[in-house]
Structure formats: structure tokens, C-alpha cells
Amino acid sequence: MARLLEHDALTILADAGVQVPRWAVVATALEAAEAAVRLGGPIVLKALVPMGGRGKAGAVRSVADAGQARTVAAELLGRSVGGYPVRRLLVMERLEIIEEHFVSITFDAACRGPVLLYSRTGGVDVERYAAAPDSLVRRPIKITGGLESFEARDLALEAGMQGASIGHIGQLLPRLYRAFRQCDASLLEINPLAVVATGAVMPAAVVIDLDDQALFRHPELKDRIGDEEGPGFRPFTALERRVREIDQADPHSGAIRFVEFTDGDIAFLVTSGGASLTVLGQLIALGGRPANAFDITPGRNEEKIYQVTQALLARPALRGLIAGGNVKNFTRVDVHVRAIVRALKDTGVDVRRFPVVLRFAGPGIEEARKIADGLPGVELYEDDTSLAMAVRRLVELVKGACIT
Ligand code: GDP
Ligand code: MN
């Protein structure tokens, strides 16, 4: 997931014709004071970090004038929020909010397309309100057709809005959807959407996540994500960055999902979506500590698997490796095994001391067997062994004892 910083998200909305509060980005307390003078009136200072919950973390602060802006900015700039050092602040005109609404557009698996959610109860506690089913209006959007103004007005009525706000929503939502499509977002969220005294609506906070797989279509945005990006709960680790480089260097040969667990010690390369997660859970349940979560979609992915394995094996203090996948029926398993064995050889891992358990089944298994035999010590299990049994074997080997 590639989350944009808020000023970039605001720019995207403005380019789509959405009226947004006036803002500036600053890197020092002095610049914050200067920006406050330029913007005039009360302002909001926000830590520019790619994560939610800043309000509750004390990283969104309201100030009355330039003097206060300077003091509060100095405080925020020295902090880190959710593991992200606060290097810059967004200085934003403070809206006089009458009501805090919530609007988001995302993809929904059930209706296989984009869905718009609207709620009249937004703000920092939105997750709590979402538990009350009546408070949310949910509207699938035709992916190419978009949302018409009259549909947006209907939605506003359905959400219980009245007066001038309905016309404003009629203008806003189609533009939001255009912005969402234009940048290939996977999420566009405005919380709060501020309703002000005139009935006009304006985003007071915006989050845009881009679809990683479509990033190659947006070179201008790719540069903007920069080094502040992360998996959503902390910044990327060096290894995650490396794996992303590998993944993005060739976007057409299988998509990688990779998260590092810095306190783990077992290299984890079991693929197949759900199976991957299930085996990860089994490994943990057996007392094993995975160093990472991993999956790769089918494709001509030998080189990617090779490179990821190599990058992962460079991590210090690993104690073993498990790789495998569901019984495949349309992808060759020898490709996978060749990539891993090649990486083990090239990295010079001593597999007599570093247990490696593979569990593969499907076309190419004879070839896979030969490849695995070429590196004595590697244990390859086939379709008479379940993934669960294979992971148990690996934990046994790593712990150097039978587990019950
Ligand atoms: P988040 O906690 O990371 O979602 O950060 P937000 O940018 O949404 O800010 C947190 C909260 O600060 C919002 O939910 C609002 O209640 C409040 N807030 C943000 N901007 C404004 C503003 O312009 N005016 C007012 N009155 N409140 C604001
Ligand atoms: Mn918010």
C-alpha cells in the first residue's frame, strides 16, 4: 500500500476541482509562524506522516496565531508519530466545523467494483459509529461511468442531509470519484468532511492510498511517496524497501506481498494467498517465529523469488527457511524450487546447519526433486505431506528436538 502524504492528497483533490482549505508545508517552527501569518486567522498544524489516528496521538493541533504556531510546531517537529519522525508539518486554514461527516471510496470484493461510503457521523471516533448500521450509506459506483451529480444528491438525502449541503454534495462526490480513478487509488477517505455554517462542505482531512500495482502508470506520484512510506503501521524496514524495489522493477511477473517481522528468525516463503497466511499462523502456533510474511502471485516469477530469497537470507540471525504452496495445477513448482535453491547456493548457506524445508506439489515436481537433490540437506516434501506437517518438521529441525 502506498499512502500519500496529506498535502499531495490535497493537491490531487484540488486538481479534480474540489475546494480544499488553504495550506502550506513547513519544515521549521519559523516557517510555521510565517505560514500562519500568510494564511491569517486560526490554523491547524498536522504532523505530515502517512498514518491515521494523528488526532488521538496529539499530532493535530489547533492554534490561534503565529506565536502559538511557532511554539506548537517546535514541539511537533521534535516528535515521532507511529514510528515516523515528524520532519514536516501541514499548516492548514482552520475550518469552523458545524458537523463532521465521513466519506470514503474504496474497492469492494463483494460488488467487484468501487464503493462509496457516506456517514453523517465522522471524526476521530468514526470506527465506533460505524458499528451502528444505520449511520452508513453505502453506494456501489459504476467503475467507468462514475457517479452523476443527481446520484450524489440522492445519496445526501438518504444520509439525512438538508438544505444547501445537498447541492454541495452533488458537486463534491463526482469530483472525488474522478480524483480516485485518475490516480488509481485504492482508498480515498475524507474524515472529517466539514460542513460549515453556510452549508458548504469541505475536506478537513484527506487520505489517499494508491494501488501499488498501478504505480508504474504514475511516475509523478511514485516520486512523492518517498521514504516515508510504510505498510500502514510503521515505516518500511530496509529489507521491505529492497523487496519493493525487486517487485517494482518488473511489475508484470507476479506481485509480491512482503512484511518483515523484526523479532522473527524463520525465513518464510510459503505462497498461495490464504494458504500462506494459514501456514504463517501454524508456524506461530508451534512456537516458531517467522521473520516475514510473504506471498507472490503466479507468473514468470523465478527471478523475483530468487532475488527475494537472496535478500531475505542476508538478514542476520535466521535459523531456518520454509517454502511451499498449495498443490498447484497451472504453475510449475520447479520454477519456485529452482529460484530458492539457486539463492541458497549463491548465498553460501550451509543447509546442514540451517534447516530448509520445502513442500511443493504440482507440475514440474520431478524436476523440482532433482533440483532439491542438488543441495543435500534440503528437505523436499510432496503431496503426501501437508503444508501443516511440513511447517511442523521445520520447527522440529530448528528447535533441534521433536515437538508434540
Ligand atoms: P487523523 O486523526 O489522523 O484522522 O487527523 P485529522 O486530520 O482528521 O484531524 C483529527 C481531528 O482534528 C479531526 O477529526 C477534526 O475533529 C479535527 N480537525 C482537523 N482539521 C480541523 C479544522 O480545520 N477545524 C476543526 N474545527 N477541527 C479540525
Ligand atoms: Mn481524520
Side-chain angles (χ1 to χ4, degrees), residues 219-269:
E220 77 292 354
L221 292 177
K222 211 168 154 182
D223 295 342
R224 306 226 134 226
I225 294 165
D227 47 275
E228 279 162 286
E229 204 190 352
F233 51 96
R234 56 158 169 73
F236 280 134
T237 64
L239 178 58
E240 286 168 347
R241 250 179 242 293
R242 173 76 192 112
V243 172
R244 279 174 68 81
E245 268 170 33
I246 293 167
D247 192 30
Q248 289 170 1
D250 182 4
H252 304 292
S253 62
I256 296 175
R257 195 185 61 215
F258 184 95
V259 179
E260 184 174 17
F261 305 133
T262 45
D263 55 353
D265 54 17
I266 293 175
F268 185 86
L269 293 169

Side-chain angles (χ1 to χ4, degrees), residues 116 139 141-142 145-157 164-178:
L116 188 143
R139 182 65 46 91
I141 304 176
K142 294 179 290 291
L147 190 73
E148 300 283 350
S149 194
F150 72 88
E151 294 174 299
R153 287 195 301 272
D154 277 355
L155 194 143
L157 283 167
S165 295
I166 292 171
H168 288 292
I169 292 290
Q171 285 201 324
L172 174 71
L173 301 188
R175 289 177 187 170
L176 288 186
Y177 180 67
R178 266 202 301 275

Side-chain angles (χ1 to χ4, degrees), residues 1-4 6 8-14 16 18 20 102-107 114-118 141 172-193 203-211:
M1 179 189 69
R3 175 158 294 185
L4 289 175
E6 191 162 12
D8 290 321
L10 284 164
T11 304
I12 287 177
L13 291 194
V18 175
V20 297
F102 168 94
V103 53
S104 79
I105 304 174
T106 185
F107 282 100
V115 160
L116 188 143
L117 298 177
Y118 195 98
I141 304 176
L172 174 71
L173 301 188
R175 289 177 187 170
L176 288 186
Y177 180 67
R178 266 202 301 275
F180 175 84
R181 272 247 38 217
Q182 188 278 327
C183 66
D184 287 309
S186 58
L187 172 75
L188 187 161
E189 179 184 293
I190 294 176
N191 183 32
L193 175 66
V206 49
V207 171
I208 293 181
D209 289 346
L210 301 175
D211 178 353

Side-chain angles (χ1 to χ4, degrees), residues 264-268 283 288-292 318-322 394 398:
D265 54 17
I266 293 175
F268 185 86
L283 174 57
R289 296 186 307 168
N292 66 291
L318 287 179
R319 297 173 65 202
L321 179 150
I322 174 106
L394 190 265
V398 166

